[in-house]
Amino acid sequence: MEMNRDKLCPSKAEVGSEPVYHCSACQDEEEWSGTSRGRAKSRSLSASPALGSTKEFRRTRSLHGPCPVTTFGPKACMLQNPKTIMHIQDPASQRLTWNKPPKSVLVIKKIRDASLLQPFKELCVYLTEVNNMIVYVEKKVLEDPAIANDENFGPVKKKFCTFREDYDDISNQIDFIICLGGDGTLLYASSLFQGSVPPVMAFHLGSLGFLTPFNFENFQSQVTQVIEGNAALVLRSRLKVKVVKEHREKMTVQNGIEENGMVSANLEKEVGKQVMQYQVLNEVVVDRGPSSYLSNVDVFLDGHLITTVQGDGVIVSTPTGSPAYAAAAGASMIHPNVPAIMITPICPHSLSFRPIVVPAGVELKIMLSPDARNTAWVSFDGRKRQEICHGDSISITTSCYPLPSICFRDPVSDWFESLAECLHWNVRKKQNNFAVEE
């Protein structure tokens, strides 16, 4: 989660001879009152009133994480830290706004799905001719014969700006994104932006649709509402992953393509090492691959060895990815507004190895154990799968570039509706009540 440093900077005020720190975020969002329900309320831990103040604190809906001006009792407070400080907002207060009217939009369409051709054409016509916007489309989408051979769609298609994945950088040219398809389209949109991500509006035109809250029936009014900046947002945290591999053989890299034909992502060269970085929305999966032996990997947290995974592998997921592979492996489902990282073993060879949740911001490091019998394999949101050998390492932490997903209603309602509709969470026949005796 990206911090807003301007709102968190403390300001000093002299009360007597001692300096007093005030949290501008707390003062803006919290309310003060004398009494409530006949008696005075005690001061909240997230409040930071001036010392000696006679006013009492009354909590509103806002939720604050530890910040350098938080007070604990009359004299204790959080030690000021110049490093990144997280400020946790009330989910209901996250709204979309534009500094300037959006002009360019990236339309992502699910490939090889004939049912999406008509919605794709209707949306593009509406964006280009009605809203006079610049539409970016991936080149392979226009190679579909149903689109390439449609003469009526030709004038609209000529206005498109095209790009190719891993070749063209469009990160600074897109104002917002519209996805047509299932959850995979949102994951694909995330992979295109390794830095800041524009707001994403996802229409449910796929099979599951857990991450796609919009229906396409009234797309004109919904898109217009987003362009006008009147929509709720949920910030889906991503994982920043750094893979460091020992340089074992000579490789030549030209235009981002390796000698073996694989396309590299953010490839860097160090002395004797190869470094790759990824932004992951759902999860990082480390597994045993084709080997019949158990995987044997060490997991470090902030430099300390916390456990060794012996089993089929381990899943490191975001709250957004918790209802996916992690939930299937026995983990809990976490709301995307919760700042956390989940560690879930895959079929562990230990009955006591249960999934755990660690704070967002910690750094996890996964390496093969020195006595591991075989190598491991790693994938990022189901893509870029590669082998991990002895001496290689995978570093994972919370990215400072979340994915802003536009809500249909609000972050809480959308999430629980997805749980009920897509996963049938807690769906059962209700118990009959007792018959009333006359």
Side-chain angles (χ1 to χ4, degrees):
M1 184 180 297
E2 190 174 5
M3 61 163 290
N4 189 339
R5 188 175 295 273
D6 295 334
K7 292 186 178 181
L8 292 178
C9 292
S11 59
K12 291 186 177 182
E14 297 295 334
V15 179
S17 60
E18 298 182 359
V20 179
Y21 292 89
H22 301 278
C23 178
S24 60
C26 295
Q27 291 177 344
D28 291 341
E29 297 180 7
E30 306 291 356
E31 297 180 2
W32 298 81
S33 63
T35 58
S36 178
R37 296 188 179 180
R39 60 184 180 91
K41 287 191 175 182
S42 60
R43 183 188 304 166
S44 168
L45 292 183
S46 63
S48 56
L51 295 179
S53 174
T54 59
K55 296 182 179 180
E56 296 295 336
F57 176 79
R58 179 169 63 85
R59 173 173 291 284
T60 63
R61 297 177 59 194
S62 299
L63 173 65
H64 293 271
C67 69
V69 292
T70 302
T71 59
F72 306 100
K75 296 184 178 179
C77 65
M78 185 71 69
L79 178 66
Q80 296 186 42
N81 191 338
K83 295 183 180 180
T84 301
I85 304 297
M86 297 186 68
H87 176 67
I88 306 173
Q89 287 184 321
D90 176 13
S93 67
Q94 296 174 175
R95 306 288 299 182
L96 173 66
T97 186
W98 302 100
N99 296 325
K100 296 180 180 179
K103 292 296 182 182
S104 60
V105 55
L106 169 62
V107 178
I108 296 179
K109 171 189 166 295
K110 185 178 179 181
I111 306 297
R112 296 184 297 273
D113 192 339
S115 64
L116 296 181
L117 293 176
Q118 188 61 30
F120 172 75
K121 294 177 182 178
E122 293 179 7
L123 175 64
C124 292
V125 170
Y126 177 75
L127 292 173
T128 55
E129 297 184 356
V130 178
N131 289 294
N132 195 25
M133 301 189 72
I134 303 174
V135 176
Y136 284 77
V137 178
E138 194 170 8
K139 190 174 183 180
K140 61 183 178 182
V141 173
L142 301 181
E143 294 174 354
D144 190 320
I147 296 179
N149 299 330
D150 189 348
E151 297 180 357
N152 296 329
F153 193 64
V156 178
K157 188 173 60 175
K158 291 180 180 179
K159 300 179 182 179
F160 289 164
C161 295
T162 60
F163 71 96
R164 294 176 297 172
E165 183 188 8
D166 294 321
Y167 285 89
D168 302 318
D169 184 12
I170 58 172
S171 56
N172 294 326
Q173 304 173 28
I174 304 300
D175 293 332
F176 79 105
I177 306 169
I178 297 179
C179 295
L180 302 178
D183 295 344
T185 57
L186 189 67
L187 297 175
Y188 180 69
S190 173
S191 67
L192 295 176
F193 295 85
Q194 296 299 302
S196 179
V197 187
V200 182
M201 184 179 188
F203 286 93
H204 174 34
L205 292 170
S207 55
L208 184 61
F210 189 87
L211 304 177
T212 54
F214 288 92
N215 293 321
F216 195 76
E217 297 176 356
N218 301 319
F219 77 94
Q220 296 95 337
S221 60
Q222 294 172 345
V223 171
T224 301
Q225 190 174 8
V226 171
I227 295 175
E228 293 175 353
N230 184 16
L233 279 179
V234 55
L235 298 181
R236 300 186 180 276
S237 63
R238 299 195 294 174
L239 298 176
K240 182 177 72 173
V241 186
K242 181 179 179 181
V243 180
V244 180
K245 291 187 176 183
E246 296 290 341
H247 188 59
R248 297 178 181 86
E249 60 182 357
K250 185 177 180 181
M251 302 175 62
T252 58
V253 179
Q254 296 180 352
N255 296 329
I257 302 181
E258 300 175 5
E259 195 176 46
N260 57 8
M262 296 294 291
V263 179
S264 61
N266 293 345
L267 187 64
E268 301 176 4
K269 286 294 181 181
E270 294 182 356
V271 179
K273 293 185 178 181
Q274 176 183 347
V275 181
M276 291 166 286
Q277 293 187 4
Y278 305 92
Q279 296 283 335
V280 178
L281 179 60
N282 259 7
E283 74 271 308
V284 179
V285 178
V286 180
D287 58 72
R288 59 189 175 94
S291 174
S292 58
Y293 295 107
L294 295 175
S295 65
N296 197 339
V297 295
D298 295 334
V299 180
F300 299 83
L301 193 150
D302 287 340
H304 303 282
L305 177 65
I306 58 171
T307 191
T308 297
V309 179
Q310 295 185 94
D312 284 351
V314 63
I315 305 168
V316 180
S317 61
T318 63
T320 294
S322 64
Y325 196 177
S332 298
M333 294 178 288
I334 301 179
H335 190 276
N337 276 110
V338 178
I341 299 176
M342 300 186 63
I343 304 175
T344 307
I346 307 173
C347 298
H349 202 251
S350 171
L351 295 177
S352 60
F353 196 171
R354 308 305 303 160
I356 61 174
V357 180
V358 297
V362 302
E363 184 176 10
L364 297 172
K365 192 172 185 179
I366 301 177
M367 301 180 66
L368 273 179
S369 299
D371 54 351
R373 294 183 178 182
N374 56 297
T375 61
W377 289 75
V378 61
S379 61
F380 314 95
D381 283 342
R383 310 177 76 223
K384 309 291 184 182
R385 185 171 172 81
Q386 52 195 273
E387 189 176 13
I388 300 298
C389 303
H390 285 92
D392 301 342
S393 65
I394 306 169
S395 299
I396 306 171
T397 188
T398 303
S399 171
C400 61
Y401 300 109
L403 185 142
S405 180
I406 300 174
C407 301
F408 179 69
R409 289 189 177 87
D410 60 78
V412 175
S413 299
D414 286 5
W415 193 67
F416 277 99
E417 286 182 7
S418 296
L419 287 180
E421 294 180 7
C422 300
L423 301 184
H424 295 236
W425 178 65
N426 198 27
V427 176
R428 66 178 295 272
K429 185 178 180 180
K430 289 186 177 181
Q431 187 180 40
N432 294 330
N433 60 347
F434 289 117
V436 179
E437 297 181 0
E438 296 181 358

PDB file of all heavy atoms in Angstrom, residues 246-273:
ATOM      1  N   GLU A 246      21.906 -17.973  -9.822  1.00  0.00           N
ATOM      2  CA  GLU A 246      23.328 -18.082 -10.086  1.00  0.00           C
ATOM      3  C   GLU A 246      23.551 -18.213 -11.592  1.00  0.00           C
ATOM      4  O   GLU A 246      22.825 -18.932 -12.286  1.00  0.00           O
ATOM      5  CB  GLU A 246      23.910 -19.297  -9.367  1.00  0.00           C
ATOM      6  CG  GLU A 246      23.834 -19.211  -7.849  1.00  0.00           C
ATOM      7  CD  GLU A 246      24.770 -18.166  -7.271  1.00  0.00           C
ATOM      8  OE1 GLU A 246      25.712 -17.772  -7.993  1.00  0.00           O
ATOM      9  OE2 GLU A 246      24.551 -17.736  -6.129  1.00  0.00           O
ATOM     10  N   HIS A 247      24.560 -17.502 -12.078  1.00  0.00           N
ATOM     11  CA  HIS A 247      24.850 -17.532 -13.510  1.00  0.00           C
ATOM     12  C   HIS A 247      25.626 -18.808 -13.811  1.00  0.00           C
ATOM     13  O   HIS A 247      26.808 -18.934 -13.471  1.00  0.00           O
ATOM     14  CB  HIS A 247      25.652 -16.298 -13.907  1.00  0.00           C
ATOM     15  CG  HIS A 247      25.838 -16.142 -15.384  1.00  0.00           C
ATOM     16  ND1 HIS A 247      24.775 -16.030 -16.246  1.00  0.00           N
ATOM     17  CD2 HIS A 247      26.949 -16.088 -16.150  1.00  0.00           C
ATOM     18  CE1 HIS A 247      25.225 -15.904 -17.485  1.00  0.00           C
ATOM     19  NE2 HIS A 247      26.544 -15.942 -17.460  1.00  0.00           N
ATOM     20  N   ARG A 248      24.951 -19.760 -14.469  1.00  0.00           N
ATOM     21  CA  ARG A 248      25.553 -21.078 -14.685  1.00  0.00           C
ATOM     22  C   ARG A 248      26.002 -21.312 -16.109  1.00  0.00           C
ATOM     23  O   ARG A 248      26.814 -22.168 -16.358  1.00  0.00           O
ATOM     24  CB  ARG A 248      24.552 -22.173 -14.287  1.00  0.00           C
ATOM     25  CG  ARG A 248      24.204 -22.117 -12.811  1.00  0.00           C
ATOM     26  CD  ARG A 248      23.192 -23.170 -12.439  1.00  0.00           C
ATOM     27  NE  ARG A 248      22.864 -23.083 -11.027  1.00  0.00           N
ATOM     28  CZ  ARG A 248      21.945 -22.283 -10.519  1.00  0.00           C
ATOM     29  NH1 ARG A 248      21.258 -21.499 -11.335  1.00  0.00           N
ATOM     30  NH2 ARG A 248      21.716 -22.232  -9.231  1.00  0.00           N
ATOM     31  N   GLU A 249      25.455 -20.601 -17.042  1.00  0.00           N
ATOM     32  CA  GLU A 249      25.846 -20.796 -18.430  1.00  0.00           C
ATOM     33  C   GLU A 249      25.776 -19.471 -19.164  1.00  0.00           C
ATOM     34  O   GLU A 249      25.085 -18.539 -18.761  1.00  0.00           O
ATOM     35  CB  GLU A 249      24.940 -21.823 -19.116  1.00  0.00           C
ATOM     36  CG  GLU A 249      23.467 -21.425 -19.121  1.00  0.00           C
ATOM     37  CD  GLU A 249      22.597 -22.488 -19.769  1.00  0.00           C
ATOM     38  OE1 GLU A 249      23.162 -23.481 -20.242  1.00  0.00           O
ATOM     39  OE2 GLU A 249      21.373 -22.309 -19.806  1.00  0.00           O
ATOM     40  N   LYS A 250      26.502 -19.400 -20.253  1.00  0.00           N
ATOM     41  CA  LYS A 250      26.550 -18.174 -21.023  1.00  0.00           C
ATOM     42  C   LYS A 250      25.249 -17.974 -21.764  1.00  0.00           C
ATOM     43  O   LYS A 250      24.762 -18.875 -22.447  1.00  0.00           O
ATOM     44  CB  LYS A 250      27.718 -18.215 -22.011  1.00  0.00           C
ATOM     45  CG  LYS A 250      27.912 -16.909 -22.778  1.00  0.00           C
ATOM     46  CD  LYS A 250      29.119 -17.006 -23.686  1.00  0.00           C
ATOM     47  CE  LYS A 250      29.311 -15.693 -24.456  1.00  0.00           C
ATOM     48  NZ  LYS A 250      30.476 -15.774 -25.370  1.00  0.00           N
ATOM     49  N   MET A 251      24.662 -16.789 -21.614  1.00  0.00           N
ATOM     50  CA  MET A 251      23.398 -16.481 -22.276  1.00  0.00           C
ATOM     51  C   MET A 251      23.532 -15.152 -22.993  1.00  0.00           C
ATOM     52  O   MET A 251      24.179 -14.230 -22.509  1.00  0.00           O
ATOM     53  CB  MET A 251      22.239 -16.410 -21.266  1.00  0.00           C
ATOM     54  CG  MET A 251      22.029 -17.676 -20.473  1.00  0.00           C
ATOM     55  SD  MET A 251      20.754 -17.467 -19.223  1.00  0.00           S
ATOM     56  CE  MET A 251      19.346 -17.100 -20.233  1.00  0.00           C
ATOM     57  N   THR A 252      22.925 -15.051 -24.145  1.00  0.00           N
ATOM     58  CA  THR A 252      22.889 -13.801 -24.882  1.00  0.00           C
ATOM     59  C   THR A 252      21.479 -13.263 -24.852  1.00  0.00           C
ATOM     60  O   THR A 252      20.517 -13.996 -25.078  1.00  0.00           O
ATOM     61  CB  THR A 252      23.329 -14.013 -26.342  1.00  0.00           C
ATOM     62  OG1 THR A 252      22.470 -14.971 -26.945  1.00  0.00           O
ATOM     63  CG2 THR A 252      24.767 -14.518 -26.393  1.00  0.00           C
ATOM     64  N   VAL A 253      21.322 -11.983 -24.557  1.00  0.00           N
ATOM     65  CA  VAL A 253      20.005 -11.355 -24.461  1.00  0.00           C
ATOM     66  C   VAL A 253      19.929 -10.255 -25.507  1.00  0.00           C
ATOM     67  O   VAL A 253      20.735  -9.329 -25.519  1.00  0.00           O
ATOM     68  CB  VAL A 253      19.780 -10.784 -23.048  1.00  0.00           C
ATOM     69  CG1 VAL A 253      18.415 -10.124 -22.975  1.00  0.00           C
ATOM     70  CG2 VAL A 253      19.910 -11.871 -22.001  1.00  0.00           C
ATOM     71  N   GLN A 254      18.965 -10.378 -26.410  1.00  0.00           N
ATOM     72  CA  GLN A 254      18.736  -9.386 -27.441  1.00  0.00           C
ATOM     73  C   GLN A 254      17.259  -9.051 -27.498  1.00  0.00           C
ATOM     74  O   GLN A 254      16.424  -9.940 -27.665  1.00  0.00           O
ATOM     75  CB  GLN A 254      19.193  -9.905 -28.809  1.00  0.00           C
ATOM     76  CG  GLN A 254      20.698 -10.165 -28.890  1.00  0.00           C
ATOM     77  CD  GLN A 254      21.101 -10.679 -30.245  1.00  0.00           C
ATOM     78  OE1 GLN A 254      20.244 -10.983 -31.068  1.00  0.00           O
ATOM     79  NE2 GLN A 254      22.395 -10.763 -30.500  1.00  0.00           N
ATOM     80  N   ASN A 255      16.955  -7.766 -27.306  1.00  0.00           N
ATOM     81  CA  ASN A 255      15.571  -7.290 -27.355  1.00  0.00           C
ATOM     82  C   ASN A 255      14.675  -8.043 -26.372  1.00  0.00           C
ATOM     83  O   ASN A 255      13.509  -8.303 -26.656  1.00  0.00           O
ATOM     84  CB  ASN A 255      15.009  -7.424 -28.778  1.00  0.00           C
ATOM     85  CG  ASN A 255      15.761  -6.550 -29.761  1.00  0.00           C
ATOM     86  OD1 ASN A 255      16.252  -5.483 -29.390  1.00  0.00           O
ATOM     87  ND2 ASN A 255      15.866  -7.002 -31.003  1.00  0.00           N
ATOM     88  N   GLY A 256      15.239  -8.414 -25.228  1.00  0.00           N
ATOM     89  CA  GLY A 256      14.435  -9.057 -24.207  1.00  0.00           C
ATOM     90  C   GLY A 256      14.166 -10.520 -24.452  1.00  0.00           C
ATOM     91  O   GLY A 256      13.381 -11.132 -23.760  1.00  0.00           O
ATOM     92  N   ILE A 257      14.826 -11.175 -25.457  1.00  0.00           N
ATOM     93  CA  ILE A 257      14.605 -12.586 -25.738  1.00  0.00           C
ATOM     94  C   ILE A 257      15.890 -13.345 -25.451  1.00  0.00           C
ATOM     95  O   ILE A 257      16.964 -12.999 -25.956  1.00  0.00           O
ATOM     96  CB  ILE A 257      14.179 -12.809 -27.202  1.00  0.00           C
ATOM     97  CG1 ILE A 257      12.905 -12.010 -27.497  1.00  0.00           C
ATOM     98  CG2 ILE A 257      13.966 -14.284 -27.478  1.00  0.00           C
ATOM     99  CD1 ILE A 257      12.408 -12.182 -28.897  1.00  0.00           C
ATOM    100  N   GLU A 258      15.789 -14.379 -24.619  1.00  0.00           N
ATOM    101  CA  GLU A 258      16.959 -15.146 -24.251  1.00  0.00           C
ATOM    102  C   GLU A 258      17.314 -16.134 -25.352  1.00  0.00           C
ATOM    103  O   GLU A 258      16.585 -16.335 -26.324  1.00  0.00           O
ATOM    104  CB  GLU A 258      16.701 -15.883 -22.933  1.00  0.00           C
ATOM    105  CG  GLU A 258      16.378 -14.937 -21.784  1.00  0.00           C
ATOM    106  CD  GLU A 258      16.008 -15.693 -20.528  1.00  0.00           C
ATOM    107  OE1 GLU A 258      16.099 -16.939 -20.535  1.00  0.00           O
ATOM    108  OE2 GLU A 258      15.635 -15.048 -19.543  1.00  0.00           O
ATOM    109  N   GLU A 259      18.463 -16.792 -25.156  1.00  0.00           N
ATOM    110  CA  GLU A 259      18.966 -17.724 -26.156  1.00  0.00           C
ATOM    111  C   GLU A 259      18.038 -18.914 -26.354  1.00  0.00           C
ATOM    112  O   GLU A 259      17.917 -19.462 -27.438  1.00  0.00           O
ATOM    113  CB  GLU A 259      20.352 -18.201 -25.722  1.00  0.00           C
ATOM    114  CG  GLU A 259      21.141 -18.895 -26.826  1.00  0.00           C
ATOM    115  CD  GLU A 259      22.535 -19.251 -26.349  1.00  0.00           C
ATOM    116  OE1 GLU A 259      22.644 -19.784 -25.233  1.00  0.00           O
ATOM    117  OE2 GLU A 259      23.507 -18.983 -27.075  1.00  0.00           O
ATOM    118  N   ASN A 260      17.347 -19.318 -25.267  1.00  0.00           N
ATOM    119  CA  ASN A 260      16.457 -20.464 -25.365  1.00  0.00           C
ATOM    120  C   ASN A 260      15.061 -20.107 -25.873  1.00  0.00           C
ATOM    121  O   ASN A 260      14.174 -20.954 -25.890  1.00  0.00           O
ATOM    122  CB  ASN A 260      16.338 -21.161 -24.008  1.00  0.00           C
ATOM    123  CG  ASN A 260      15.865 -20.211 -22.924  1.00  0.00           C
ATOM    124  OD1 ASN A 260      15.499 -19.077 -23.228  1.00  0.00           O
ATOM    125  ND2 ASN A 260      15.882 -20.661 -21.686  1.00  0.00           N
ATOM    126  N   GLY A 261      14.852 -18.854 -26.241  1.00  0.00           N
ATOM    127  CA  GLY A 261      13.576 -18.448 -26.805  1.00  0.00           C
ATOM    128  C   GLY A 261      12.587 -17.913 -25.800  1.00  0.00           C
ATOM    129  O   GLY A 261      11.533 -17.419 -26.166  1.00  0.00           O
ATOM    130  N   MET A 262      12.918 -17.991 -24.498  1.00  0.00           N
ATOM    131  CA  MET A 262      12.016 -17.489 -23.466  1.00  0.00           C
ATOM    132  C   MET A 262      12.112 -15.973 -23.401  1.00  0.00           C
ATOM    133  O   MET A 262      13.190 -15.395 -23.547  1.00  0.00           O
ATOM    134  CB  MET A 262      12.368 -18.097 -22.113  1.00  0.00           C
ATOM    135  CG  MET A 262      12.175 -19.607 -22.039  1.00  0.00           C
ATOM    136  SD  MET A 262      10.457 -20.075 -22.186  1.00  0.00           S
ATOM    137  CE  MET A 262       9.846 -19.436 -20.630  1.00  0.00           C
ATOM    138  N   VAL A 263      10.997 -15.340 -23.167  1.00  0.00           N
ATOM    139  CA  VAL A 263      10.955 -13.887 -23.057  1.00  0.00           C
ATOM    140  C   VAL A 263      11.259 -13.495 -21.637  1.00  0.00           C
ATOM    141  O   VAL A 263      10.667 -14.024 -20.686  1.00  0.00           O
ATOM    142  CB  VAL A 263       9.576 -13.345 -23.480  1.00  0.00           C
ATOM    143  CG1 VAL A 263       9.545 -11.834 -23.344  1.00  0.00           C
ATOM    144  CG2 VAL A 263       9.292 -13.743 -24.916  1.00  0.00           C
ATOM    145  N   SER A 264      12.194 -12.588 -21.440  1.00  0.00           N
ATOM    146  CA  SER A 264      12.582 -12.169 -20.096  1.00  0.00           C
ATOM    147  C   SER A 264      11.747 -10.993 -19.649  1.00  0.00           C
ATOM    148  O   SER A 264      11.220 -10.231 -20.461  1.00  0.00           O
ATOM    149  CB  SER A 264      14.062 -11.786 -20.071  1.00  0.00           C
ATOM    150  OG  SER A 264      14.301 -10.706 -20.954  1.00  0.00           O
ATOM    151  N   ALA A 265      11.616 -10.827 -18.313  1.00  0.00           N
ATOM    152  CA  ALA A 265      10.851  -9.728 -17.738  1.00  0.00           C
ATOM    153  C   ALA A 265      11.754  -8.954 -16.794  1.00  0.00           C
ATOM    154  O   ALA A 265      12.230  -9.498 -15.802  1.00  0.00           O
ATOM    155  CB  ALA A 265       9.636 -10.253 -16.983  1.00  0.00           C
ATOM    156  N   ASN A 266      12.014  -7.683 -17.112  1.00  0.00           N
ATOM    157  CA  ASN A 266      12.857  -6.842 -16.276  1.00  0.00           C
ATOM    158  C   ASN A 266      14.179  -7.535 -15.963  1.00  0.00           C
ATOM    159  O   ASN A 266      14.570  -7.694 -14.815  1.00  0.00           O
ATOM    160  CB  ASN A 266      12.137  -6.474 -14.970  1.00  0.00           C
ATOM    161  CG  ASN A 266      10.956  -5.577 -15.224  1.00  0.00           C
ATOM    162  OD1 ASN A 266      10.828  -5.019 -16.306  1.00  0.00           O
ATOM    163  ND2 ASN A 266      10.086  -5.439 -14.250  1.00  0.00           N
ATOM    164  N   LEU A 267      14.864  -7.994 -16.985  1.00  0.00           N
ATOM    165  CA  LEU A 267      16.087  -8.761 -16.818  1.00  0.00           C
ATOM    166  C   LEU A 267      17.255  -7.822 -16.563  1.00  0.00           C
ATOM    167  O   LEU A 267      17.457  -6.848 -17.267  1.00  0.00           O
ATOM    168  CB  LEU A 267      16.342  -9.618 -18.066  1.00  0.00           C
ATOM    169  CG  LEU A 267      17.485 -10.618 -18.001  1.00  0.00           C
ATOM    170  CD1 LEU A 267      17.193 -11.663 -16.932  1.00  0.00           C
ATOM    171  CD2 LEU A 267      17.676 -11.300 -19.340  1.00  0.00           C
ATOM    172  N   GLU A 268      18.031  -8.120 -15.519  1.00  0.00           N
ATOM    173  CA  GLU A 268      19.223  -7.363 -15.190  1.00  0.00           C
ATOM    174  C   GLU A 268      20.391  -8.324 -15.115  1.00  0.00           C
ATOM    175  O   GLU A 268      20.227  -9.512 -14.869  1.00  0.00           O
ATOM    176  CB  GLU A 268      19.054  -6.630 -13.856  1.00  0.00           C
ATOM    177  CG  GLU A 268      17.892  -5.661 -13.838  1.00  0.00           C
ATOM    178  CD  GLU A 268      17.719  -5.051 -12.464  1.00  0.00           C
ATOM    179  OE1 GLU A 268      18.552  -5.331 -11.589  1.00  0.00           O
ATOM    180  OE2 GLU A 268      16.747  -4.310 -12.280  1.00  0.00           O
ATOM    181  N   LYS A 269      21.582  -7.815 -15.316  1.00  0.00           N
ATOM    182  CA  LYS A 269      22.771  -8.644 -15.259  1.00  0.00           C
ATOM    183  C   LYS A 269      23.665  -8.156 -14.120  1.00  0.00           C
ATOM    184  O   LYS A 269      23.973  -6.983 -14.014  1.00  0.00           O
ATOM    185  CB  LYS A 269      23.535  -8.588 -16.589  1.00  0.00           C
ATOM    186  CG  LYS A 269      22.858  -9.364 -17.710  1.00  0.00           C
ATOM    187  CD  LYS A 269      22.831 -10.866 -17.432  1.00  0.00           C
ATOM    188  CE  LYS A 269      22.169 -11.605 -18.565  1.00  0.00           C
ATOM    189  NZ  LYS A 269      22.109 -13.049 -18.331  1.00  0.00           N
ATOM    190  N   GLU A 270      24.044  -9.083 -13.246  1.00  0.00           N
ATOM    191  CA  GLU A 270      25.012  -8.820 -12.217  1.00  0.00           C
ATOM    192  C   GLU A 270      26.201  -9.745 -12.438  1.00  0.00           C
ATOM    193  O   GLU A 270      26.160 -10.635 -13.287  1.00  0.00           O
ATOM    194  CB  GLU A 270      24.402  -9.039 -10.826  1.00  0.00           C
ATOM    195  CG  GLU A 270      23.305  -8.044 -10.493  1.00  0.00           C
ATOM    196  CD  GLU A 270      22.762  -8.250  -9.092  1.00  0.00           C
ATOM    197  OE1 GLU A 270      23.196  -9.217  -8.431  1.00  0.00           O
ATOM    198  OE2 GLU A 270      21.933  -7.442  -8.671  1.00  0.00           O
ATOM    199  N   VAL A 271      27.243  -9.527 -11.676  1.00  0.00           N
ATOM    200  CA  VAL A 271      28.427 -10.367 -11.803  1.00  0.00           C
ATOM    201  C   VAL A 271      28.095 -11.763 -11.306  1.00  0.00           C
ATOM    202  O   VAL A 271      27.901 -11.989 -10.122  1.00  0.00           O
ATOM    203  CB  VAL A 271      29.597  -9.763 -11.000  1.00  0.00           C
ATOM    204  CG1 VAL A 271      30.826 -10.663 -11.124  1.00  0.00           C
ATOM    205  CG2 VAL A 271      29.900  -8.355 -11.484  1.00  0.00           C
ATOM    206  N   GLY A 272      28.007 -12.702 -12.232  1.00  0.00           N
ATOM    207  CA  GLY A 272      27.733 -14.083 -11.864  1.00  0.00           C
ATOM    208  C   GLY A 272      26.308 -14.348 -11.450  1.00  0.00           C
ATOM    209  O   GLY A 272      26.002 -15.444 -10.997  1.00  0.00           O
ATOM    210  N   LYS A 273      25.384 -13.381 -11.595  1.00  0.00           N
ATOM    211  CA  LYS A 273      24.007 -13.573 -11.170  1.00  0.00           C
ATOM    212  C   LYS A 273      23.047 -12.988 -12.197  1.00  0.00           C
ATOM    213  O   LYS A 273      23.392 -12.090 -12.955  1.00  0.00           O
ATOM    214  CB  LYS A 273      23.755 -12.933  -9.798  1.00  0.00           C
ATOM    215  CG  LYS A 273      24.492 -13.615  -8.658  1.00  0.00           C
ATOM    216  CD  LYS A 273      24.115 -13.010  -7.321  1.00  0.00           C
ATOM    217  CE  LYS A 273      24.824 -13.721  -6.185  1.00  0.00           C
ATOM    218  NZ  LYS A 273      24.457 -13.167  -4.852  1.00  0.00           N
TER     219      LYS A 273
END
